[in-house]
Amino acid sequence: MTQILQLDAVSKAFGAVTVADDLSYGLEEGEALGVLGPNGAGKTSMFNLITGTLKPDAGRITFAGDDITALGAARRSRSGIARSFQVPQPFTHMTVFENAMVAATQSAGLAGREAERLCIEVLDQTELLDKANDRAGGLTLLNRKRLELTRALCAKPRLLLLDEIAGGLTEAECTALIATIKSIHASGVSIIWIEHVVHALMAVVERLIVIDFGRKIAEGEPKAIMDSPEVQEIYLGIEADA
Amino acid sequence: MSTDIRISRTSNAAKVAAVLGALIVVILIAAPYWAGRADLRLMGEIFLYLALASLWNLLAGYAGLVSVGQQAYVGFGGYMLFALTIFSGLPPLVAIALAGLLGALISIPVAALIFRLRGAYFAIGTWVMAEVFRLVFAQVSALGGGSGTSLPTDIVRSMADGRSAREALSYWLALGAALIVVTAVYLLLRSRKGLALTAIRDNELASASLGIDIWRTKFFVYVVTSGLTAIVGALIFLQKLRISPDAAFSVNDWTAFVIFIVVIGGIGTIEGPIIGTIVFFLLRETLADLGTIYLMVLGLVAIVVMLKAPQGVWGFIRHRFDLQLFPLGYRVERSKDS
Amino acid sequence: MDFVNALVQGTLLGGLYALFAAGLSLIFGVMRLVNIAHGDLIVLAAYLGLTTTVALGVHPLVALIVVVPAMAGIGYVLQRAVLNHTLGDDILPPLLVTFGLSVIIQNALLEGYSADPQKMDAGALETASVALGPLSLGVLPLLTFAIAVAVIAGLQWCFYRTPLGRAFRATSDNQDIAQLMGLNKRHVFGLAMALALAVTAVAGILLGIRTSFDPSVGGGRLIFGFEAVIIGGLGNLWGTLVGGVILGVAQTVGATINPGWQLLAGHIAFLVILAVRPNGLFPRISA
Amino acid sequence: MPDPILKLNGLDAFYGDFQALYGVELSVHEGEVLAIIGANGAGKTTMLRSISGLITNDAAQISYRGQQIGNARPDVVAQMGLAMVPEGRQLFPSLSVEENLMIGGRVNRKGPWNLRRVYDLFPILEERRAQASTSLSGGQQQMVAIGRALMSNPDLIMFDEISLGLAPVIIRDIYKALPGIVGGGMSAVIVEQDITKALAVSSRVYCLQEGRVSLEGRSDTVSRDEIARAYFGVE
C-alpha cells in the first residue's frame, strides 16, 4: 500500500491556545481513519491544517508524495483533498445544483456536460436531487450536511475529510449516511472522519486516533481504543475514579 | 436514470428579452439615420456610462473589489489615445485598442500594491492610485501639463470624411463598447470563472476549499476590467476632443456617478447597470438646470436606495416577478415520466 | 540648509495631517467604518469656523468653542440617524452612503458659500515666527503640531484610561458580547463619531487658518488622513502622528526638489511603505 | 407553582434565513437550575441568543417577569437582569482581565457581586488582573467569562457550552464552583453537551432535537433511554 497523507510533527497555536501539538500520523491509500476527541480538542483545526485553511507554525504535511505544507487551500483542493465543514458553509445564494457545479468545475476541473453529469450522479447518491433547484440558504440542517458531502464528492477527491457529518441526524438518517460513506470508501477514496457519533464511526473506519489539546493521545484498532480507560476518561467524560 | 434529466441555462423570459434586445440594438445601430446630432451625442454618452457602470458592477458587485479609483483607467485610456495618436501617429482606432492593452498592463503592478489593502481601505487605496496617475500626467508638459491639450484636427479628420460621418462613427464606437462590455460580462459570468466569482461572493472559505484561487480570480477580474475601462476612457475623450488632468481623473464624473448608477439600478446583476443608467440620465435631463441641487438629490437618492432597498430597482423587480433577462444559473429539469 | 528646513517644516505640517487622520483612525478602530466624507466634514468645519468668526467677530481659535460642539453634535446625529444603518459585514453600504454624503456636503457648501476660495483671518498668528538657530519657525505650524500632540494624547488617554474608552474597545472587539454587557452599540458608535468629528473640527479650523479652502478640497484631505493612518499602522493613534509626519516631510522635501512634485512625493512615500510594510509601521489591529 | 420568571411562548427563531427553532415552549422558575441538552445544530445556541436579544423575534414569544422581551435590544435585556456566559468565552481581547470584569459591572444592578467577590471566588484572576485576557489559559478565561456575567448581578444567568474545550479537571473545578454561584436565588440555564454533568447540577432538563423540544422532565427521574431517544430521535 502507498502512503496518501503524512503529517510530521505539525504544530499550531493561537496565543495561549494550542490546537496542534507535535502531531504526526500517516494514512494509507484507500484507508478510512476515525478521529475522536472532546469538543475544542483541535480536530477541526487539524482539518484546516490539512486543507490549507490554516498554516502550521511548524512541521510538514505530505500528500501523495508531495510536500504540500506551503500550498494554499485552492491548490490542495485541486490536487484531490476535499472536506465537509462541521458548520455547513453553503453558497447560500446559489442553488444546490450550482453549489455542486462549483466543486465539479473548479476543483475536479470538469467542464460542460461532464461536470453536469457528475453533479446529477452525486446529488442522486446523496438524496438531494429533488432539491437541486432550491436555494442552498433555505435548506434544513440535514440537507446542508448532505450538501457538504455532495460538494466534497463532486470535487472527485482522493482524500475525503468528513467533519461531524452525522451529528444531529436521526438513527435512520445515520444508517443511510453510513451506507453512503461505505460505498464512497469502497470506491477507493481515502477517508478521515471526525465524529462524535461513535457507532457510526465504528461501522466504517479501520483505525482510530484520539486527539486532545492538539495532541495525539491514542492510536490503533477501533475496538481496543474505545476500551482503553484513558480514552474513556478524556473522551466520554467518565472519570477514572468515579 | 440521469437520461430523463436535463440542465437548462435559459428561460422563456430570457428568450423574449433576447429577441426584444436584438430589435432594440438594430434600431440603435440605425440611430445616425434617424436621430439628431444632439441626441446622438447624448446617446453616445449614455452608452459609455453604461459600459463604465457594467464594468464597475463586475468589479464591485461580483468580485467584491469596491474601487473608488476607476477614474485612474478612464483618464489613463484618454491620455493614451492622445499620446499614441499625437506622438506615434497611430490611427485613433488602433490607439484606442492599444490604450486598453496598456491599461490592463499598468493595472498589474497597481493591483499587486493595492490588493494588500482590505475592504474600504482598498477602496481609498484605489483613489490614491488615481491621484498618482493624475499628478503624473499633470507633469507631462508635452500633453499640456496641468491645463491639458486638444486632439489635433488632422487626427480627428483622419477618422472619417465629414463631420456627420465622424459623429456617426463616434456613436457606433460608443454603442459597440457598451454592447461588447455587457456581452463580455454576461459571458464571463456564465463561464467557469463566473461560477467561481459568484461562489467567492457567497463564501470565501468554502470557495478556497473547492479549488478556487481567490486572489488570482480577483486579480484577473481587476486587470480585465481596467483594460476595458481604459478603452471606454479613450472613447470618452475621443468624443470630448480635449483632455486635462482634472477632467480625465475626476472622481465625481467617472466613479461617484457610476457607483450611484449601479446601486440605484441594482448591484450584482447584469440588468442593474442598464436600468441605473436610464434612471441616471432621466434624472439628469430633467433636473440638470438645478445645478448643485441636482447633485445633492442624486446623492440623497443613492443613500436612500442603499439604506431602504439595497438591491436597487432591478433587485426589487427580480424579487417581485422572479425575472432574469440575462440568465446565469442552471436549472435541473426532469421529464414527467421519470 | 533647504533640506533641513524642509524636514522641520514637513514635520510640523505632519501635525495637521495627523489631525486629519486621528478622527478617521478612531472611527475605524471602534466600528470598522471608513468614512469617505471625512475630508468634506473637515472642510465643513472650516466653513463653520469661517461663519462663526464673521458672525461673532471672534478669532478663529475662539471659534473652536462653537465649532467643536457643533461638529460633535452633527457626528452623533449622523451616526444614529444614518451611519448606524450601514454597519455590517458588507463594506458597500457605509462606503456608498458616505460617498453620497460627500457629494451632498460638497454641493451644499457650493450652494451656500460659492466655489471661491476662502480663508480665515487669524491676525498676527499667521505671520508670527520664532527663530531657532538659522531656522525660522512659524508660530502657527508650531501651535498646530502642539495641538495635534495634545489631541492624540487626549484620545489615547480616553481610549485606554476611561470607562468610555473601555466601552469603545469592548464594542470594537465584539459587538454582540458588548451588548450583552448592557452597552447600547448605537449610542457607543454615536459617541465615537461625535468624538471623531470634534477632532475634525479642530483640524478644519487649523486648515482654514493655514491655507485657503473651497468646497472641493475635501477629497484631498481624506486621502492625506488615510495615508497617515495606513503608514502609521491601523488602530495606532501615535502611529498616526508618525504617519502624518512622514507624509508631511515627504511632501515638503518633494516640493524642495520640484514644486510640482509635492503631492506626488507624499503619495509615493505612502506606496513605498505599502509595498514594504503592508500593515504600516506600527500596526495594532489587522483590517 | 409561582409564575416562571422566564417563559418561551412558542418561540420560532431563525438563524440567518433558515429556521432553527419551531414553537419552543419553555419556562424557568425563580432560583431553579435548568439544563438544556441536544446535539450539535439542535438549536440550543439560537435559543440563548434569542433570549438575550441578539436575535430579534416576535415580542410575545419571550416573556421575562411578565414583560414581553422577544424584540428587546440585548443591552436592555441585560439591564433587566439576564446575563450570558457565551460559548467559547468570547472575552474582549483588547481589555485586561480586570477591565473585562469591570465592563460586566457596567450594568449597574444592586446585588452581592462585585470585583472583590469575583476575586474571592477565582483568586487566580486577582493575580492576573492586569494581564491581557488572551494570555490566560482556557479555564482561566472561562472564569473571567463567568465573573464578567456575575458582575451585572443578574437574576438569571445562562451558560452556553460551559465545558467546551476545557480539560476534565478544569471542568470539574468549574462545576464545583457552580453551587456557590447560582445559590442565593439566582436562576440559571445551562446548555451542555456532557449529559451527565448537566443532569447532576440541574433540577429540570429540556432536550432539543432539530429545533423542537423532544423531552422535558426532572433531572433526577429521566432515564438514560428517554434521553437517548430524545437526543438522537431513535425510534
Side-chain angles (χ1 to χ4, degrees):
Chain A
M1 266 192 174
T2 53
Q3 195 91 336
I4 182 95
L5 180 77
Q6 177 69 45
L7 273 68
D8 287 311
V10 172
S11 294
K12 177 75 187 175
F14 297 103
V17 182
T18 302
V19 292
D21 187 359
D22 198 21
L23 197 59
S24 299
Y25 64 86
L27 186 73
E28 303 289 331
E29 176 108 54
E31 192 187 1
L33 172 71
V35 180
L36 282 177
N39 277 332
K43 303 186 300 293
T44 296
S45 296
M46 179 184 86
F47 273 10
N48 289 339
L49 288 162
I50 297 174
T51 58
T53 310
L54 277 181
K55 290 271 174 286
D57 299 333
R60 202 162 75 110
I61 301 173
T62 318
F63 177 70
D66 300 321
D67 184 346
I68 58 165
T69 319
L71 295 188
R75 285 279 299 280
R76 296 192 199 188
S77 164
R78 291 198 293 268
S79 71
I81 302 177
R83 78 184 292 185
S84 75
F85 286 95
Q86 181 192 353
V87 178
Q89 304 281 338
F91 301 119
T92 50
H93 296 93
M94 299 166 88
T95 67
V96 167
F97 182 76
E98 287 159 6
N99 266 268
M101 280 293 281
V102 172
T105 57
Q106 314 293 325
S107 185
L110 300 178
R113 295 279 166 237
E114 212 183 340
E116 291 170 2
R117 202 171 309 126
L118 172 67
C119 292
I120 295 292
E121 258 173 49
V122 173
L123 285 168
D124 191 35
Q125 186 184 10
T126 55
E127 296 175 43
L128 271 181
L129 200 49
D130 289 340
K131 306 271 181 200
N133 293 327
D134 290 13
R135 259 175 20 109
L139 295 181
T140 62
L141 181 72
L142 170 65
N143 284 334
R144 282 174 183 232
K145 295 214 161 192
R146 285 177 170 155
L147 182 57
E148 285 293 319
L149 185 60
T150 305
R151 284 196 315 201
L153 292 178
C154 287
K156 288 195 136 186
R158 292 177 69 184
L159 170 62
L160 177 62
L161 307 175
L162 300 170
D163 197 348
E164 299 204 17
I165 193 112
L169 301 194
T170 66
E171 194 65 22
E173 289 161 356
C174 201
T175 309
L177 180 76
I178 291 170
T180 309
I181 295 175
K182 272 187 170 164
S183 75
I184 295 164
H185 181 38
S187 72
V189 176
S190 314
I191 292 174
I192 304 180
W193 187 2
I194 295 174
E195 193 54 76
H196 280 309
V197 183
V198 178
H199 72 90
L201 206 54
M202 301 288 270
V204 177
V205 303
E206 291 123 11
R207 188 159 59 106
L208 270 183
I209 61 173
V210 183
I211 289 184
D212 199 11
F213 292 97
R215 268 194 320 278
K216 184 175 77 181
I217 55 167
E219 174 174 17
E221 191 270 321
K223 181 93 179 61
I225 293 289
M226 290 311 295
D227 288 344
S228 90
E230 194 190 11
V231 170
Q232 296 223 334
E233 167 167 357
I234 285 174
Y235 177 58
L236 299 172
I238 297 166
E239 292 168 23
D241 59 349
Chain B
M1 94 127 281
S2 58
T3 47
D4 55 355
I5 292 177
R6 49 177 236 104
I7 312 297
S8 156
R9 301 207 64 189
T10 183
S11 67
N12 288 335
K15 286 172 192 159
V16 174
V19 173
L20 279 178
L23 207 65
I24 292 172
V25 167
V26 169
I27 295 171
L28 288 175
I29 289 175
Y33 305 105
W34 55 261
R37 177 165 283 163
D39 292 336
L40 216 53
R41 275 195 75 87
L42 177 64
M43 278 159 53
E45 199 189 350
I46 290 175
F47 294 137
L48 292 175
Y49 260 104
L50 171 59
L52 286 182
S54 294
L55 288 168
W56 191 82
N57 179 46
L58 175 66
L59 201 58
Y62 284 95
L65 293 166
V66 184
S67 163
V68 298
Q70 287 315 94
Q71 69 272 21
Y73 300 104
V74 173
F76 180 84
Y79 266 106
M80 283 304 113
L81 167 72
F82 280 54
L84 293 171
T85 50
I86 296 173
F87 303 143
S88 315
L90 289 175
L93 289 183
V94 177
I96 290 167
L98 212 51
L101 193 65
L102 292 170
L105 276 179
I106 192 117
S107 76
I108 291 172
V110 170
L113 261 182
I114 56 171
F115 272 36
R116 291 155 176 261
L117 296 165
R118 299 258 142 249
Y121 279 98
F122 169 83
I124 307 185
T126 61
W127 194 352
V128 172
M129 289 310 313
E131 281 297 289
V132 170
F133 278 39
R134 180 176 70 83
L135 294 165
V136 167
F137 280 105
Q139 293 296 306
V140 183
S141 47
L143 287 167
S147 49
T149 186
S150 296
L151 205 57
T153 41
D154 53 322
I155 292 174
V156 179
R157 291 224 173 90
S158 75
M159 283 179 61
D161 292 328
R163 184 164 164 197
S164 54
R166 278 198 300 278
E167 279 179 344
L169 178 62
S170 170
Y171 168 83
W172 281 323
L173 285 172
L175 175 62
L179 289 177
I180 288 171
V181 164
V182 173
T183 311
V185 169
Y186 175 57
L187 292 179
L188 173 71
L189 290 176
R190 268 177 78 98
S191 74
R192 185 170 173 270
K193 218 153 202 126
L195 198 59
L197 267 180
T198 320
I200 292 171
R201 188 173 60 165
D202 253 15
N203 189 326
E204 293 206 353
L205 176 64
S207 299
S209 308
L210 292 172
I212 300 171
D213 190 324
I214 293 169
W215 195 93
R216 268 200 206 177
T217 307
K218 291 187 170 185
F219 179 79
F220 169 80
V221 172
Y222 185 81
V223 171
V224 168
T225 310
S226 301
L228 290 172
T229 304
I231 289 183
V232 177
L235 290 174
I236 287 172
F237 288 94
L238 181 68
Q239 269 203 346
K240 293 188 184 298
L241 300 177
R242 204 190 141 65
I243 198 164
S244 70
D246 288 348
F249 299 96
S250 160
V251 64
N252 279 343
D253 289 347
W254 312 129
T255 293
F257 294 160
V258 167
I259 297 182
F260 292 165
I261 286 173
V262 175
V263 168
I264 292 171
I267 191 166
T269 64
I270 297 180
E271 297 87 344
I274 301 175
I275 305 262
T277 307
I278 296 170
V279 172
F280 174 79
F281 278 91
L282 281 178
L283 269 178
R284 199 180 83 171
E285 292 307 303
T286 47
L287 298 178
D289 295 344
L290 298 174
T292 55
I293 304 275
Y294 152 67
L295 295 173
M296 289 164 72
V297 170
L298 188 66
L300 200 64
V301 169
I303 290 177
V304 170
V305 168
M306 193 81 250
L307 291 180
K308 300 293 174 196
Q311 318 212 299
V313 176
W314 184 257
F316 177 79
I317 295 174
R318 185 174 63 171
H319 195 73
R320 192 74 190 271
F321 303 103
D322 192 24
L323 202 60
Q324 220 177 358
L325 303 186
F326 292 90
L328 299 174
Y330 297 79
R331 285 202 82 74
V332 178
E333 292 172 352
R334 317 175 72 163
S335 43
K336 291 277 184 286
D337 51 44
S338 65
Chain C
M1 194 61 250
D2 272 1
F3 184 73
V4 176
N5 188 45
L7 220 57
V8 175
Q9 303 299 345
T11 304
L12 296 183
L13 177 62
L16 185 63
Y17 292 167
L19 282 174
F20 294 163
L24 213 53
S25 179
L26 178 76
I27 54 169
F28 182 80
V30 175
M31 57 187 122
R32 301 293 182 274
L33 174 79
V34 173
N35 181 3
I36 300 266
H38 187 76
D40 303 288
L41 288 161
I42 293 172
V43 178
L44 172 67
Y47 277 106
L48 287 181
L50 179 70
T51 300
T52 310
T53 52
V54 172
L56 305 181
V58 294
H59 191 273
L61 290 181
V62 178
L64 282 172
I65 299 170
V66 177
V67 180
V68 169
M71 288 302 290
I74 290 173
Y76 187 84
V77 172
L78 193 62
Q79 186 67 39
R80 295 288 310 242
V82 181
L83 297 178
N84 271 339
H85 302 284
T86 68
L87 298 179
D89 292 335
D90 190 358
I91 65 149
L92 194 67
L95 205 72
L96 184 98
V97 167
T98 55
F99 217 136
L101 273 176
S102 160
V103 169
I104 291 174
I105 294 171
Q106 266 181 50
N107 286 286
L109 290 175
L110 263 177
E111 192 71 16
Y113 293 94
S114 86
D116 300 335
Q118 308 271 4
K119 204 178 156 309
M120 268 183 270
D121 182 8
L125 181 62
E126 292 181 25
T127 49
S129 64
V130 291
L132 186 78
L135 293 173
S136 163
L137 297 181
V139 170
L140 181 64
L142 276 174
L143 184 67
T144 304
F145 192 80
I147 291 176
V149 172
V151 164
I152 285 173
L155 287 177
Q156 188 82 10
W157 174 79
C158 168
F159 227 65
Y160 292 98
R161 293 281 177 271
T162 67
L164 179 65
R166 207 155 59 219
F168 283 161
R169 282 180 288 144
T171 313
S172 164
D173 281 348
N174 189 326
Q175 294 183 15
D176 278 358
I177 305 300
Q179 293 185 90
L180 295 183
M181 303 297 124
L183 291 165
N184 177 358
K185 74 172 178 187
R186 296 170 206 289
H187 178 63
V188 172
F189 289 161
L191 292 177
M193 187 55 89
L195 189 57
L197 289 205
V199 175
T200 300
V202 178
I205 299 267
L206 291 170
L207 169 75
I209 299 174
R210 185 189 170 95
T211 59
S212 61
F213 53 92
D214 67 73
S216 71
V217 302
R221 309 316 108 179
L222 166 71
I223 287 178
F224 295 156
F226 160 77
E227 288 176 332
V229 170
I230 298 285
I231 293 173
L234 285 179
N236 186 339
L237 285 164
W238 287 117
T240 299
L241 181 65
V242 177
V245 167
I246 289 175
L247 191 61
V249 167
Q251 286 188 3
T252 47
V253 169
T256 319
I257 301 166
N258 177 337
W261 292 357
Q262 179 179 349
L263 298 183
L264 205 51
H267 295 323
I268 286 167
F270 161 75
L271 291 176
V272 167
I273 287 169
L274 186 61
V276 294
R277 293 285 295 265
N279 291 319
L281 299 176
F282 316 100
R284 203 165 198 132
I285 47 178
S286 51
Chain D
M1 206 189 283
D3 281 345
I5 61 167
L6 178 76
K7 214 169 160 319
L8 305 187
N9 313 305
L11 177 63
D12 293 317
F14 291 79
Y15 179 81
D17 48 6
F18 121 94
Q19 188 163 1
L21 293 177
Y22 298 85
V24 170
E25 300 277 345
L26 175 144
S27 52
V28 186
H29 295 274
E30 190 99 45
E32 107 174 307
V33 176
L34 193 73
I36 295 173
I37 58 175
N40 276 336
K44 306 179 303 276
T45 296
T46 303
M47 181 195 281
L48 292 199
R49 288 176 67 87
S50 293
I51 296 170
S52 63
L54 290 172
I55 296 175
T56 306
N57 301 287
D58 287 346
Q61 290 188 347
I62 304 172
S63 53
Y64 177 71
R65 294 195 183 283
Q67 279 179 276
Q68 301 191 338
I69 61 161
N71 61 353
R73 287 206 319 258
D75 55 301
V76 175
V77 173
Q79 303 280 0
M80 293 170 86
L82 275 133
M84 179 149 94
V85 181
E87 179 181 340
R89 279 87 71 181
Q90 306 212 36
L91 301 182
F92 299 113
S94 355
L95 272 59
S96 69
V97 169
E98 185 155 302
E99 283 182 315
N100 264 285
L101 295 173
M102 284 165 74
I103 204 123
R106 246 198 112 268
V107 174
N108 214 351
R109 291 168 53 88
K110 286 207 174 25
W113 290 100
N114 52 33
L115 264 185
R116 186 67 260 143
R117 253 198 88 182
V118 172
Y119 286 149
D120 287 345
L121 180 67
F122 302 120
I124 184 77
L125 298 187
E126 189 164 17
E127 287 172 37
R128 306 272 158 100
R129 63 201 290 171
Q131 290 186 14
S133 52
T134 45
S135 68
L136 302 186
S137 72
Q140 291 162 355
Q141 289 191 17
Q142 188 63 279
M143 294 173 194
V144 178
I146 294 172
R148 186 177 66 178
L150 289 173
M151 286 288 288
S152 69
N153 281 299
D155 291 341
L156 171 64
I157 185 167
M158 302 183 284
F159 299 93
D160 195 1
E161 304 285 5
I162 194 170
S163 43
L164 192 72
L166 301 181
V169 54
I170 306 285
I171 299 173
R172 207 170 343 183
D173 285 353
I174 284 179
Y175 270 96
K176 256 184 213 148
L178 263 188
I181 295 167
V182 295
M186 195 189 290
S187 314
V189 171
I190 294 176
V191 164
E192 180 58 271
Q193 296 246 343
D194 184 333
I195 299 166
T196 316
K197 289 266 179 350
L199 293 179
V201 295
S202 62
S203 52
R204 283 196 306 133
V205 60
Y206 284 81
C207 185
L208 290 184
Q209 195 215 332
E210 290 195 35
R212 293 181 171 85
V213 174
S214 56
L215 174 76
E216 178 193 349
R218 285 175 48 117
S219 304
D220 49 1
T221 58
V222 291
S223 74
R224 282 276 176 171
D225 280 353
E226 281 179 287
I227 289 177
R229 267 200 300 278
Y231 200 93
F232 294 116
V234 186
E235 291 309 327

